[in-house]
Amino acid sequence: MTIAPETTTREATTHYPINDLLRRRWSSRAFAAAPVQPEILGSLFEAARWSPSAGNGQPWSFVVADKVRDPEWFARALAVLNPSNQTWVQRAPILLFAITRRIREDGKEHGKAQYDLGLAVQGLVVQAIDLGLNVRQMGGFDADAARDLFAIPAGHDPVVALALGHPGPADDLSDDLREKEQAPRERKPLESFVFGTQFGRVYEGLTSDE
Ligand SMILES: Cc1cc2nc3c(=O)[nH]c(=O)nc-3n(C[C@H](O)[C@H](O)[C@H](O)COP(=O)(O)O)c2cc1C
């Protein structure tokens, strides 16, 4: 099923050219009610699965709440989010919780567990953009409530939630959120985070207009 996007994308403005998917990725809160087909969801998790990780430990897992398949379960998962996130996520057809394994099998702390999960989530997000979906990540949820609801074992931590679905109209959002959706996207300049020789010293090997 092909669904025509209802919102315009808000491409990154760059001083140097970047990959088209990275340029087109942004975190919209506007979703269509249309379901996300299983084969599309499968592609998202394949993309996560093939992410790099320290020692190939793959310390990630995901819990899925699909509003179309199970509206009651979706409502319970939605309730774990902060109220400000619930207002717009209630329109998304899919809500995911991304979980990392912080304690290894040998009982030792996995110092790169969140990093590895972040790479897997980025893979999933970029794949979603390629498939024409909107995705927005959220740190705003009750981790204890998520742990209880999803029976997350000790040593595993829920890190981020993701709302995703086909693009929908921004008119369904509150005025405040619609304004945020349309606000200019901002980024720090390269000079503020690319250093040469020492932290804080601008790397002179790049040229920039700024
Ligand atoms: C770890 C993480 C937590 C976030 N938490 C929230 C959140 O709770 N609610 C929300 O609306 N957006 C949240 N966001 C989305 C960011 O606000 C958004 O990515 C950022 O403003 C940059 O916008 P862009 O993704 O469109 O480039 C989160 C993003 C990340 C990566």
Side-chain angles (χ1 to χ4, degrees):
M1 175 170 43
T2 310
I3 294 171
E6 294 190 45
T7 50
T8 54
T9 55
R10 303 175 73 230
E11 287 94 355
T13 49
T14 63
H15 293 286
Y16 297 92
I18 63 172
N19 174 278
D20 193 52
L21 288 173
L22 300 177
R23 197 174 55 79
R24 289 195 284 115
R25 187 212 61 80
W26 72 289
S27 302
S28 174
R29 302 172 183 83
F31 299 99
V36 175
Q37 302 303 327
E39 61 273 20
I40 301 268
L41 266 186
S43 291
L44 302 186
F45 293 123
E46 275 299 347
R49 179 173 170 239
W50 282 98
S51 301
S53 59
N56 201 20
Q58 307 162 59
W60 48 71
S61 27
F62 296 87
V63 173
V64 184
D66 181 326
K67 188 159 61 179
V68 179
R69 283 191 70 214
D70 191 343
E72 278 173 32
W73 178 244
F74 183 90
R76 291 183 69 191
L78 183 72
V80 168
L81 301 178
N82 290 356
S84 59
N85 285 327
Q86 289 183 32
T87 58
W88 56 270
V89 180
Q90 61 181 318
R91 283 189 196 80
I94 299 283
L95 174 59
L96 305 178
F97 285 81
I99 297 158
T100 198
R101 179 171 190 163
R102 186 176 40 83
I103 304 295
R104 297 179 200 265
E105 261 174 47
D106 61 9
K108 290 192 181 140
E109 186 94 13
H110 183 351
K112 305 292 185 213
Q114 286 212 5
Y115 184 91
D116 288 349
L117 178 68
L119 289 172
V121 169
Q122 177 73 344
L124 184 155
V125 167
V126 169
Q127 184 67 44
I129 300 301
D130 193 34
L131 293 170
L133 300 173
N134 281 350
V135 194
R136 191 172 179 100
Q137 299 171 61
M138 291 160 279
F141 67 90
D142 182 334
D144 292 334
R147 190 174 285 290
D148 284 352
L149 183 64
F150 307 129
I152 298 170
H156 294 65
D157 297 330
V159 176
V160 83
L162 297 94
L164 65 93
H166 295 280
D171 337 344
D172 288 350
L173 298 171
S174 64
D175 291 350
D176 174 44
L177 287 184
R178 203 168 43 248
E179 228 169 79
K180 283 187 179 166
E181 288 280 290
Q182 288 155 3
R185 296 181 65 211
E186 292 178 359
R187 285 299 191 270
K188 295 174 183 173
L190 299 186
E191 291 79 1
S192 72
F193 65 89
V194 184
F195 304 138
T197 67
Q198 286 182 338
F199 191 95
R201 282 209 186 147
V202 173
Y203 175 58
E204 305 286 355
L206 289 179
T207 52
S208 165
D209 292 334
E210 285 191 2

